[in-house]
Amino acid sequence: MLDGKIAVVTGASRGIGRAIAKELAGLGAVTVINYNGSSDRAMEVKQEIESCGGQAELFQCDVSDYAKCEAFIQDVIQKYGRIDILVNNAGITRDGLLMKMSEEDFDRVINVNLKGAFNTIRFVSRQMLKQRSGRIINLSSVVGIMGNAGQANYAASKAGVIGLTKAAARELASRGITVNAIAPGFIETEMTEVLSDKVKESTKAQIPLGIFGKPEDIAKTAAFLASEDAGYITGQVIQVDGGMAI
Ligand code: NAP
């Protein structure tokens, strides 16, 4: 279904990004696994993809760094000649009450989650405009829709991703490029693993379906948005949250 497509997935060394990279590669896309820290986990993802007959490549880049993102995207274009799918998944949390939140924690979350998505779109869209086609998928969150106490930085970044998605969708639509966001609810990854049992139980109580999501739930949605079948969908925020933010 995605045979021959070139897909870039940021933050694909673990969690949701890893599941998205594996899903896109399983559908035939040559998948670029971006990571920031150690390459060990990203290498595991590459090996998992290759052991299933897929193709993957590793690219280290801190997505919050504008100049490094330009070099990263240029390297991918130089190597593969095009980029068909961009998934802005890289994200972090630095939780704390607003009144006690440090400037550094606010800035870092905005810089990775929101500016990081801007940085990659900024450079990938130039290539997609030339191609007159492309799919951009940004990871937002239910928290960007509902807000959440203790996550002012994260909620602002994820609400910002929705605005970025809608603006980019309007700018790029005339050249056949779609831009959509996915707003996951509570998904079982390392990001949510650190939360206390008390927080987990009170969150679960807010989920009409009564269960937490899996990274694969988000990966399936990303694969649909990346497919030809989703060609008439742009500027949308798809909630994959078990009904949490109905
Ligand atoms: P995770 O398990 O903590 O994984 C985060 C990924 O982002 C890792 O691969 C990490 O790479 C990468 N990353 C972090 N900072 C980066 C940077 N500066 N540059 C490049 N990559 C960076 O998180 P997750 O739960 O899978 O979340 C993935 C996305 O979904 C995030 O945007 C998150 O906000 C969003 N989301 C998650 C949930 C949830 O319940 N889990 C809910 C809503 C939205 P390294 O290992 O190299 O640092």
Side-chain angles (χ1 to χ4, degrees):
M1 195 171 82
L2 298 177
D3 285 330
K5 303 278 186 200
I6 308 299
V8 172
V9 184
T10 69
S13 56
R14 32 196 182 94
I16 293 170
R18 171 178 175 271
I20 293 173
K22 288 177 69 177
E23 183 71 24
L24 299 182
L27 293 168
V30 176
T31 303
V32 171
I33 299 162
N34 159 256
Y35 64 99
N36 182 37
S38 148
S39 63
D40 295 358
R41 305 283 298 275
M43 185 55 81
E44 277 174 30
V45 181
K46 178 174 153 67
Q47 284 164 353
E48 283 168 14
I49 288 172
E50 288 173 348
S51 70
C52 297
Q55 272 180 275
E57 186 73 53
L58 303 188
F59 274 87
Q60 193 281 336
C61 175
D62 177 347
V63 295
S64 71
D65 188 316
Y66 183 82
K68 285 189 181 149
C69 274
E70 179 170 26
F72 161 43
I73 297 303
Q74 283 316 314
D75 281 355
V76 176
I77 293 167
Q78 204 164 354
K79 176 144 194 197
Y80 296 106
R82 56 189 295 119
I83 295 177
D84 300 292
I85 300 159
L86 167 67
V87 183
N88 280 308
N89 167 82
I92 58 164
T93 51
R94 294 279 187 277
D95 297 351
L97 292 175
L98 187 55
M99 277 193 303
K100 291 183 179 168
M101 187 173 286
S102 69
E103 183 182 11
E104 191 193 346
D105 283 350
F106 187 85
D107 288 349
R108 185 65 190 152
V109 169
I110 297 289
N111 285 339
V112 174
N113 298 5
L114 177 56
K115 190 182 163 210
F118 162 75
N119 287 345
T120 55
I121 293 173
R122 167 77 176 74
F123 298 112
V124 168
S125 59
R126 201 161 52 189
Q127 176 63 28
M128 287 182 172
L129 286 168
K130 279 192 218 155
Q131 295 167 191
R132 293 187 158 266
S133 70
R135 295 274 191 272
I136 299 174
I137 299 154
N138 299 322
L139 270 289
S140 178
S141 167
V142 287
V143 167
I145 298 168
M146 302 162 69
N148 194 24
Q151 289 197 308
N153 48 2
Y154 185 77
S157 74
K158 293 300 181 180
V161 164
I162 293 174
L164 174 67
T165 299
K166 292 185 178 185
R170 287 183 184 276
E171 278 191 34
L172 302 174
S174 65
R175 303 288 179 93
I177 302 163
T178 67
V179 189
N180 291 289
I182 300 173
F186 188 110
I187 308 299
E188 286 175 329
T189 68
E190 288 169 34
M191 183 178 274
T192 48
E193 201 176 77
V194 295
L195 298 171
S196 69
D197 288 345
K198 198 176 156 198
V199 169
K200 284 183 189 164
E201 282 317 306
S202 73
T203 306
K204 196 178 265 183
Q206 296 171 46
I207 303 172
L209 283 178
I211 48 171
F212 295 140
K214 304 266 182 228
E216 291 71 25
D217 294 320
I218 308 305
K220 295 280 179 199
T221 308
F224 170 64
L225 289 172
S227 74
E228 290 296 322
D229 291 345
Y232 202 54
I233 302 173
T234 198
Q236 301 305 303
V237 183
I238 314 289
Q239 292 174 212
V240 184
D241 63 359
M244 195 175 168
I246 288 172

